[in-house]
């Protein structure tokens, strides 16, 4: 029986006799790789981890315009969470949870909504000012308010779709190429393996970039409400 190409992204695939679904447990596998923070003597892995944390904190503070440990303490774990899930999805037989809108929208929507509520409640005038770019002609003001409002509303959707679509695209391409393997001779097969290896390296870069882009955009949205 032929299977759909998108069946590799099916979250309902069962592990044991179609009675126990373990797919979404891959979302928590990344936490096993995080080093413990309370060693008596810091190990090298811990030192590397803390160096990465400080670098990310510095990068996010450049976007926020001031030192803000509260916001960066949300963004850095979010980046690591997405990065670990994107990377784990590249391994065989591990469910790619970040390729589903169920997960990506669950990350983007609550964060965006919390920033919007904070901005409109605490800095109402500042949020109204964002709807009207400086120097807008009076005749275009109603249209600009509508355009900026729609732009703000669709932000969580674009964040979620961008992450999910980028993770799906590479996996689908690898699946399509892999399905042609059984009908090839050894010479085309060698070329196919080299192509898939190059695509796997590209997907590794995409996994890192998309986690960074998702978090940077959320940080930029947070900086607008202050």
């Amino acid at each position: 029986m032929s299977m759909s190409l998108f069946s590799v992204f099916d979250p309902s695939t069962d592990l044991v006799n179609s009675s126990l679904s373990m797919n979404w447990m891959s979302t928590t596998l990344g936490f096993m790789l995080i080093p413990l923070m309370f060693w008596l003597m810091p190990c090298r892995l811990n030192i590397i981890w803390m160096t990465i944390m400080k670098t990310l904190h510095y990068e996010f503070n450049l976007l926020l315009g001031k030192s803000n440990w509260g916001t960066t303490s949300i963004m850095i774990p979010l980046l690591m969470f997405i990065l670990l899930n994107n990377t784990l999805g590249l391994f065989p037989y591990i469910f790619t949870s970040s390729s589903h809108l169920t997960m990506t929208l669950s990350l983007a929507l609550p964060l965006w909504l919390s920033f919007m509520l904070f901005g409109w409640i605490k800095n109402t005038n500042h949020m109204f000012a964002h709807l009207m770019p400086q120097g807008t002609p009076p005749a275009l003001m109603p249209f600009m308010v509508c355009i900026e409002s729609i732009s703000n509303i669709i932000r969580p959707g674009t964040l979620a779709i961008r992450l999910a679509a980028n993770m799906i695209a590479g996996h689908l391409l690898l699946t399509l190429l892999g399905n042609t393997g059984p009908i090839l001779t050894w010479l085309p097969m060698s070329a196919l393996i080299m192509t898939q290896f190059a695509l796997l390296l590209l997907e590794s870069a995409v996994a890192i970039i998309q986690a960074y882009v998702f978090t940077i955009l959320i940080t930029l949205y947070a900086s607008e409400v202050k």
Side-chain angles (χ1 to χ4, degrees):
M1 181 178 65
S2 62
M3 298 180 64
S4 170
L5 181 63
F6 290 89
S7 63
V8 295
F9 302 103
D10 184 10
S12 63
T13 303
D14 293 336
L15 183 64
V16 181
N17 298 324
S18 300
S19 61
L20 181 62
S21 180
M22 306 287 287
N23 282 324
W24 290 100
M25 288 190 65
S26 65
T27 306
T28 61
L29 289 177
F31 293 110
M32 301 179 184
L33 305 177
I34 299 177
L36 296 177
M37 307 302 294
F38 300 102
W39 291 103
L40 183 60
M41 296 294 293
C43 62
R44 292 178 181 176
L45 184 60
N46 199 0
I47 294 173
I48 294 173
W49 181 265
M50 293 306 299
T51 302
I52 295 174
M53 295 298 102
K54 290 178 181 179
T55 303
L56 291 173
H57 174 70
Y58 175 76
E59 292 290 333
F60 291 140
N61 280 333
L62 290 178
L63 298 175
L64 295 171
K66 60 180 180 179
S67 181
N68 192 328
W69 276 103
T71 305
T72 57
S73 64
I74 298 174
M75 299 307 169
I76 293 175
L78 175 65
L79 186 148
M80 290 300 172
F81 177 74
I82 298 174
L83 176 59
L84 289 171
N85 279 280
N86 291 351
T87 306
L88 286 171
L90 299 176
F91 290 91
Y93 305 108
I94 295 184
F95 177 67
T96 311
S97 57
S98 55
S99 65
H100 286 266
L101 287 176
T102 303
M103 175 181 172
T104 56
L105 195 60
S106 297
L107 293 175
L109 186 59
L111 287 171
W112 171 84
L113 186 60
S114 62
F115 291 140
M116 287 297 102
L117 289 176
F118 175 83
W120 283 105
I121 293 173
K122 296 294 184 179
N123 299 314
T124 306
N125 293 333
H126 180 72
M127 296 299 292
F128 274 118
H130 269 289
L131 298 178
M132 187 63 59
Q134 188 175 4
T136 303
L140 297 178
M141 286 183 179
F143 299 100
M144 291 304 299
V145 172
C146 293
I147 292 172
E148 290 295 326
S149 299
I150 294 174
S151 176
N152 286 332
I153 292 173
I154 66 174
R155 281 177 174 178
T158 56
L159 280 173
I161 293 172
R162 180 187 292 108
L163 177 58
N166 278 280
M167 297 311 299
I168 287 175
H171 286 66
L172 282 180
L173 185 56
L174 289 170
T175 303
L176 283 171
L177 292 175
N179 289 339
T180 62
I183 63 176
L184 297 178
T185 58
W186 69 271
L187 186 59
M189 177 68 74
S190 301
L192 177 63
I193 292 174
M194 295 300 295
T195 302
Q196 285 194 310
F197 181 74
L199 285 174
L200 188 60
L201 293 178
L202 178 61
E203 276 298 290
S204 301
V206 169
I208 299 172
I209 292 171
Q210 288 305 314
Y212 183 74
V213 168
F214 187 97
T215 314
I216 286 295
L217 289 176
I218 284 288
T219 306
L220 287 173
Y221 299 157
S223 66
E224 291 181 1
V225 303
K226 297 182 178 181

